[in-house]
Structure formats: C-alpha cells, structure tokens
Amino acid sequence: TGTREINASGFEKSSILSYMARLNYSFKDKYLVTLATRFDGSSKLAPGYKWASFPSAAVAWRVSEEPFLKNIPQISELKLRFSAGIAGNNNNINPYGTQMNLSTPTYYDFGGTAALGYTPNRLPNPTLTWETTREYDLGLDLGLFGGRASATIDVYDKLSSDIILTRDIALENGYNSITDNVGSVSNKGVELSLRTVNIRNEAFSWTTSFNFARNKNAIEELIDGKKDMIGNAWFIGQPIRSNFTYIFDGIWQESERAEALKYSAVPGQARVKDLDGNFILNNADRRIVGQEAPKWTGGFSTQLTYKNFDLSTALFARQGQQVTSPFHAEFLNFNDRGRMKLDVNYYMG
C-alpha cells in the first residue's frame, strides 16, 4: 500500500481594544469608593456592534475602624462591601464567527474529472454583539482573634443579557445552527468561605478551610420573549443547561411483549414513560430530568505543618447535577461488538 501526504495550514487572529478610567477615594481608611468604566471594542463581533461601555461602582465601610468596635479586641476586621456594574463577554464566538467563510469541497462532473468550487460553510450573523452581565454584590469580610479565624460571605444577583450561544435553526435555511444573541439568563446565589488557624507555634501549625457556594441559574427571556425554545432545550425559568429527554422506565420484558409492540418495541429494549398515554412517543413525553450545572458546591481542606514537613488533605463536593458518563456510554454500547461490555443484568429474558 502506498502513503498519502496531506499538507494543511490554518491562521486565526482576533484583537480587542480597551479604554479604562478608574477613580479611588478613601476617607480615614473607613469609607472606600471606587468608580470605574471600560470602553471595549472586539474584532470578533459584527460591524457596527463591536463597541460597548461597561461602568461599575463599589463602596465599602470598614466597620472595625469605628470607635464603637475599637473596644472589642476579638474583632480584628469587619468590612461591609457593595458593588454594582456591567461586564462584557465575547469569548463564546470564534474570531470569524460573524462572517460567512468559504470552504473548498471537491465536485465531479459526469466525465469523472474533478472540478473545484467554493461554498459558504456557515450562516453569518451581521448583528451579533456583546454579551453583557449586570451584577449586584453584597459582601462581608470578618476577622477574629487577631487573624486566627476569618470569613467572607457574598450574596450576588447577576443578569446576563444578549447571551452568545449556538442555537438550532430549521434545515430549510441551508444550515442547522447559527451563533446568536439568544436572550437573558439570571444567576443568583451565595458564596461563603471560612479559614481557621487552630494551632500555631514555631514548630507546628494546623489550619483548616471551608467553602460553600450555591447558585440558581434560570433563563429569563429568549428570542421570542417568554416563549420556550424546545428544539434547543431552553425553557423560561429553567437552567440553561437542562437535560430535556424521555423518562427511562426500565427494560421491556418478555412477559410485556404485547404491550411493547404498541410502541414498536420488542423485549430487551429500553422502556420510555408514555406521559400522555396516547401510545405515541414525541415531545409531549419529554421532561426536564435534571441539570448539568451543580446546584451547590462545597469544599473542606486541612493542613498540618511540622518544621519542614507538611500533610494536607482536601474534600470537594458537587451536588444536584447530572453528568454524562463516557465510560458507560462506551462500555454499554451493545451495538459495538469490538469492545468488552459491562456485566449488567437488566433483562431477564
């Protein structure tokens, strides 16, 4: 057999130009104010939609510097914070994602002679613009016992508008998807961290850390306002990465053959819940069964140090999410006869 050499090359370039101004003010190191604004332009976005401004403001009150807390030695730091602002994002698009690039497929005439031609490889979006996020954040920083214990808590409310996502479109357009500003998504939650220095001397120290975060993600609006986009599995009030599918209801058994035939199925195949009871499985029988993003995350770590030796351990948790298992997808694919399969006793025959 012979060998074939293929030469290929590629080049991408994108740029962003930013102007920024910031003003900081501090009064007696107790009252702090920061005002800032950005004006950014991105080459990735469509002509006429490349530039946007993103202002922000933050204030803080160092309560521990007030006279009424000076006489409480247990509190070494107490600061209240509040910030509000708008941030921009253009990371969800390739450098030429708003343009109609050309590809070079090979065509053949009836005589068998190769004829080269060009064809568009994507549907362009001439109005694609910045994805923006408005955020409010209320926070508290606390230090106790001269720094032996410290804690931080933040409560936030984010609203992302003009979300940049790839959405499915009708094949009659000539393409099955387009990158677009599809709507708005909210994220509301709380973040908490705690650190303690349990033992500290010249030779030995022991510290522990704990963190917790909970976030609620929900679609607020889509292209058609409050109307769901079922084809993309996007639903108003639900997380943007929801698992929308049929509900697994076991495996058809031999004793259920007659009932299985009503759904054009045979024993050994997966059984799906017929939620409307019409013996037809369609979108009406699909439901949101979970979400990809966790509802909350948490972590714990501890570290022991003795002279030049240290020992640490950590625990991390993600709860309330459904994830895809490539391992099970591969080793439970009984149509692939080239691999060993997991021993799963799901069908009694």
Side-chain angles (χ1 to χ4, degrees):
T1 60
T3 61
R4 183 176 66 168
E5 182 177 326
I6 299 176
N7 296 319
S9 63
F11 175 78
E12 287 186 350
K13 180 181 179 180
S14 64
S15 59
I16 185 169
L17 180 62
S18 301
Y19 300 93
M20 186 181 73
R22 182 172 62 188
L23 173 65
N24 294 324
Y25 175 76
S26 174
F27 180 71
K28 295 185 177 180
D29 202 30
K30 291 189 295 185
Y31 313 108
L32 312 172
V33 178
T34 298
L35 301 176
T37 186
R38 292 177 60 100
F39 192 56
D40 295 335
S42 171
S43 66
K44 294 182 179 181
L45 303 175
Y49 298 88
K50 297 180 182 293
W51 290 91
S53 61
F54 308 106
S56 64
V59 295
W61 176 25
R62 200 182 299 275
V63 187
S64 54
E65 295 299 315
E66 297 290 352
F68 59 83
L69 279 183
K70 286 289 188 180
N71 297 326
I72 305 178
Q74 294 85 355
I75 300 178
S76 52
E77 172 76 12
L78 179 60
K79 182 167 68 173
L80 291 173
R81 299 175 281 105
F82 176 77
S83 62
I86 299 175
N89 176 39
N90 71 131
N91 294 327
N92 295 341
I93 182 174
N94 295 324
Y96 312 108
T98 61
Q99 303 175 20
M100 181 180 284
N101 294 352
L102 298 178
S103 60
T104 57
T106 301
Y107 299 92
Y108 295 90
D109 63 13
F110 293 103
T113 302
L116 299 179
Y118 295 89
T119 184
N121 62 3
R122 71 162 63 94
L123 187 64
N125 187 340
T127 61
L128 191 72
T129 187
W130 285 90
E131 173 184 315
T132 61
T133 298
R134 181 272 299 153
E135 179 176 3
Y136 301 125
D137 183 280
L138 179 63
L140 182 145
D141 299 326
L142 177 64
L144 300 173
F145 311 113
R148 297 294 294 268
S150 59
T152 299
I153 184 171
D154 284 272
V155 179
Y156 60 86
D157 182 342
K158 300 180 182 179
L159 180 65
S160 298
S161 303
D162 295 323
I163 296 289
I164 299 177
L165 287 174
T166 300
R167 64 180 179 93
D168 295 334
I169 58 177
L171 289 175
E172 288 79 3
N173 293 284
Y175 302 88
N176 60 5
S177 64
I178 185 174
T179 302
D180 204 355
N181 300 106
V182 301
S184 60
V185 176
S186 67
N187 284 277
K188 300 177 181 179
V190 59
E191 296 177 347
L192 171 67
S193 65
L194 173 65
R195 183 177 185 273
T196 61
V197 180
N198 307 308
I199 301 175
R200 181 173 59 192
N201 55 46
E202 293 183 0
F204 180 77
S205 68
W206 174 29
T207 61
T208 57
S209 298
F210 169 80
N211 64 80
F212 173 84
R214 183 175 182 87
N215 180 73
K216 182 180 180 182
N217 173 264
I219 298 175
E220 301 294 334
E221 283 188 311
L222 291 168
I223 292 178
D224 296 327
K226 297 293 183 179
K227 185 178 180 181
D228 298 334
M229 297 179 67
I230 299 177
N232 293 269
W234 294 334
F235 302 91
I236 301 298
Q238 298 295 330
I240 196 167
R241 292 188 294 167
S242 297
N243 294 324
F244 178 66
T245 185
Y246 298 103
I247 299 176
F248 178 70
D249 195 27
I251 301 295
W252 288 110
Q253 303 300 311
E254 187 63 38
S255 60
E256 301 170 318
R257 178 177 291 272
E259 186 179 356
L261 288 175
K262 298 177 182 178
Y263 298 95
S264 300
V266 295
Q269 291 182 328
R271 178 172 180 164
V272 175
K273 284 189 176 182
D274 182 12
L275 298 179
D276 56 11
N278 62 356
F279 300 103
I280 299 175
L281 299 177
N282 52 28
N283 274 339
D285 300 298
R286 299 168 71 188
R287 292 292 185 271
I288 295 176
V289 298
Q291 63 184 54
E292 297 182 25
K295 293 182 178 179
W296 65 267
T297 62
F300 171 81
S301 65
T302 184
Q303 184 175 38
L304 301 172
T305 302
Y306 177 71
K307 294 185 177 180
N308 294 327
F309 300 92
D310 64 84
L311 174 67
S312 62
T313 184
L315 177 67
F316 181 72
R318 299 164 63 96
Q319 296 293 318
Q321 67 177 140
Q322 285 183 335
V323 296
T324 300
S325 171
F327 174 83
H328 288 84
E330 182 175 358
F331 291 97
L332 285 178
N333 181 9
F334 291 94
N335 293 322
D336 182 1
R337 301 180 180 275
R339 290 186 178 275
M340 298 292 291
K341 306 303 176 187
L342 295 178
D343 184 10
V344 179
N345 184 22
Y346 68 88
Y347 176 54
M348 295 179 291

